[in-house]
Amino acid sequence: KKMVLTGKIAIVTGGGGGFGEGIARAYAEQGARVAVLDYNAEAAQRVAREIGGGAIAVQADVGVRAEVERAAAEVIARLGVPDILVNNAGTTHVNGSLLDVDEETFDRVFRVNVKSIYLFAQALVPAMRERGGLILNIGSVSAIRPRPGLVWYNGSKGAVTLITKSMAVELAPAKIRVNVLCPVMAATGLLESFMGKPDTPENRKLFVPTIPLGRFCEASDVAAAAVFLASDAAAFITGVELPIDGGRSV
């Protein structure tokens, strides 16, 4: 089987678990060399070790400029200039009244979900524009069809979508494509916060019927789309908001 990302270098933020881990593994299986970046150093090291094949682990807080710049420099020094940047790291507040989210939590959600994209663009676009590439942002179906209880999280993902489309147009002359994936809820570490209640089979049954295909999103669903968008087959696709939601946004 021909590997579609042979020779490519990829950074995946939040790569120590969930969607990020799935994307990092899929990229490596397709021949890319992957920098697994995570706030949790042990998680990043575990994923990089299990991937093998020249994958590296990098610890960084994606919302702090100095750490993003250090991480970018480390990746360039150890692997080379990335062809693919996946801004996957994300966080949320607990599902509940918009009035119950404290200011510190609001700031953290926007720092991790939105400011990180700004910081990584500043750190890597100057190097990437020499030869083009892909920036893939992980948004949410909530930016298309928001549920109540997640107002400020939904707003952060709305920003991700519009930033993606704006970047796509501005960076097109540099042959840098920019797309956003919009998954529905998945059984990742954030599920309990999204549901606003314990992760039990009974509580999952309350949410699954709102997804026409009848299940939660899997990391493999997101990873498959991430591989396609990073491949040459998607060379003419930029500025796209791709729901991976089993029909939830319809």
Side-chain angles (χ1 to χ4, degrees):
K1 167 177 147 181
K2 179 173 174 287
M3 294 190 291
V4 300
L5 300 179
T6 300
K8 303 285 190 187
I9 296 164
I11 296 182
V12 181
T13 73
F19 292 153
E21 177 176 352
I23 293 168
R25 289 179 180 278
Y27 278 176
E29 285 167 10
Q30 290 297 333
R33 298 190 67 195
V34 182
V36 181
L37 192 144
D38 205 281
Y39 184 66
N40 181 332
E42 287 178 14
Q45 286 158 2
R46 174 187 64 80
V47 174
R49 184 173 61 247
E50 291 175 6
I51 287 173
I56 66 169
V58 182
Q59 193 278 334
D61 182 333
V62 297
V64 177
R65 182 185 291 273
E67 296 201 26
V68 170
E69 289 175 348
R70 173 185 52 74
E74 182 178 341
V75 172
I76 290 170
R78 294 176 66 185
L79 296 182
V81 175
D83 304 282
I84 305 158
L85 164 63
V86 181
N87 287 306
N88 165 77
T91 191
T92 187
H93 53 84
V94 175
N95 190 315
S97 167
L98 59 91
L99 300 177
D100 290 342
V101 177
D102 62 63
E103 188 174 359
E104 185 181 357
T105 302
F106 175 93
D107 285 344
R108 178 174 57 84
V109 168
F110 273 79
R111 188 174 65 83
V112 174
N113 293 1
V114 182
K115 189 178 184 182
S116 59
I117 297 175
Y118 160 79
L119 293 174
F120 273 95
Q122 297 238 319
L124 288 170
V125 165
M128 289 177 71
R129 71 186 330 148
E130 297 297 311
R131 59 180 181 184
L134 171 72
I135 298 173
L136 185 61
N137 298 322
I138 308 302
S140 170
V141 73
S142 68
I144 305 168
R145 191 170 178 200
R147 299 177 193 262
L150 291 168
V151 167
W152 311 117
Y153 169 82
N154 296 345
S156 75
K157 292 303 190 178
V160 171
T161 292
L162 196 59
I163 285 168
T164 297
K165 293 177 180 182
S166 304
M167 289 177 75
V169 179
E170 183 162 330
L171 296 178
K175 299 295 182 278
I176 296 174
R177 297 181 298 111
V178 193
N179 295 297
V180 58
L181 301 181
C182 300
V184 75
M185 283 199 291
T188 64
L190 296 180
L191 183 61
E192 285 200 351
S193 294
F194 286 141
M195 294 198 299
K197 47 191 72 171
D199 180 12
T200 64
E202 295 75 31
N203 285 335
R204 286 193 183 195
K205 281 180 190 156
L206 299 174
F207 288 90
V208 167
T210 69
I211 302 168
L213 284 180
R215 66 169 174 83
F216 284 133
C217 184
E218 303 281 345
S220 57
D221 299 317
V222 175
V227 167
F228 166 66
L229 287 172
S231 73
D232 290 342
F236 202 55
I237 299 177
T238 194
V240 163
E241 167 187 38
L242 180 61
I244 305 174
D245 67 351
R248 161 71 193 160
S249 61
V250 175

